[in-house]
Structure formats: structure tokens, C-alpha cells
Amino acid sequence: MNRVGFGIDLHPLVSGRPLVLGGVTLDSDLGLTGHSDADVLTHAIGEALLGALALGDLGRHFPDTDPRYRGISSLVLLRHVMELVVARGARLVNVDATVLAQAPRLSPRLGEMEKRLADVLGVPFEMVSVKAKSPEGLGLLGRREGIAAMAVVSVEVP
Ligand code: MG
């Protein structure tokens, strides 16, 4: 059986934090803040994977009240999510994600993000798509108050 999952995430941008997206650290005057490294792209993909199997959300599996997850790389969380997927005999087919960020320009680094994510997800590089979209100066994203990401995944379940 084929199933799809959808994930969305949004974190605030602040000064004095690194900007990590898809496990890749980018040159930026502002970074995302949160309990973990606040990698919105990786979180959106994790939420989509959990959603495909109706396993709840990331907050349920990795509560932000748990000190074990403070400052943790979100790739570690994604690896845990993937273990849940594999434990159910499910197979991830592909991921398609979009990051909504006013700055910095992400297009030169998207391939690196895809590679990093594909490694953690254990799927071929060409099965992971990461796109970038500018909010064109509009709203909280355009004012660089935060960065958002959305993802869909396709999963085969026995
Ligand atoms: Mg998050």
C-alpha cells in the first residue's frame, strides 16, 4: 500500500545562532532558535514521515521538555524517526520539500542538503528533493522573523 505524509514547521530567526537547514550550516547573520538545532527542513520531513504512518508528531516523540534533545542535531531525530518507519516494515520512496526563506540565498546549497538528508534517510540521492522559495518580502517570513519548511513523503507499507 502507498501512503503519503505531510509536514510543516516554522522557527524564529535570532542573532547569535547558527542557521542549519537539512543538516547544512549556512552563512547567515541570523539563525533559527528552538530546543534542538531548530532545523525546520529536517523537522518538516520528520513530521511528514510520522504523518505517513499516523504516528503523531515530532513533539510527541521528542518532547522539548526533555533535556536529552537540547541543542541536538535534528539529523539524529530524523534517524530515530526513520528507525520507526523501518521497524514497521515501511519503505520510504521519495521526499519533496520546500524551504520558505527570505535570506540567505539557498539555491547553491540545496544539493548538499539533499545529499545529507538522503544519507540519513537511507534512500538514493535522487529520491530527495529540496527546493527554496522566497516569500518576496511578505509577512513574517519576508521580514526575516522566521523560516518555514514544508515536506511531503511517499511511503510503501506492507
Ligand atoms: Mg521544529
Side-chain angles (χ1 to χ4, degrees):
M1 182 172 48
N2 293 314
R3 298 179 68 153
V4 295
F6 171 73
I8 182 168
D9 199 24
L10 171 66
H11 278 264
L13 277 169
V14 295
S15 57
R17 289 265 301 186
L19 176 60
V20 181
L21 292 170
V24 173
T25 303
L26 296 133
D27 270 335
S28 175
D29 54 331
L30 303 177
L32 293 168
T33 186
H35 188 68
S36 65
D37 63 3
D39 180 342
V40 283
L41 171 58
T42 300
H43 290 183
I45 294 170
E47 295 262 344
L49 279 168
L50 291 172
L53 296 175
L55 292 173
D57 56 32
L58 279 183
R60 183 171 125 196
H61 293 271
F62 311 105
D64 62 8
T65 48
D66 190 329
R68 279 182 301 166
Y69 306 125
R70 179 174 297 280
I72 197 171
S73 165
S74 296
L75 293 182
V76 174
L77 304 182
L78 187 62
R79 187 168 285 124
H80 287 319
V81 169
M82 210 46 217
E83 283 165 9
L84 296 175
V85 171
V86 171
R88 277 162 179 76
R91 187 178 75 85
L92 172 61
V93 178
N94 76 302
V95 177
D96 184 24
T98 299
V99 180
L100 277 154
Q102 186 64 39
R105 233 171 74 78
L106 301 178
S107 52
R109 309 294 300 276
L110 295 176
E112 261 176 274
M113 296 178 203
E114 290 168 342
K115 172 89 176 62
R116 194 68 62 93
L117 290 163
D119 283 349
V120 170
L121 294 167
V123 295
F125 172 70
E126 63 270 21
M127 290 295 122
V128 178
S129 154
V130 178
K131 310 186 300 298
K133 204 80 193 157
S134 165
E136 307 286 356
L138 292 171
L140 71 92
L141 298 173
R143 291 189 298 270
R144 301 190 70 204
E145 292 170 16
I147 290 178
M150 301 177 196
V152 292
V153 300
S154 171
V155 173
E156 275 178 7
V157 183

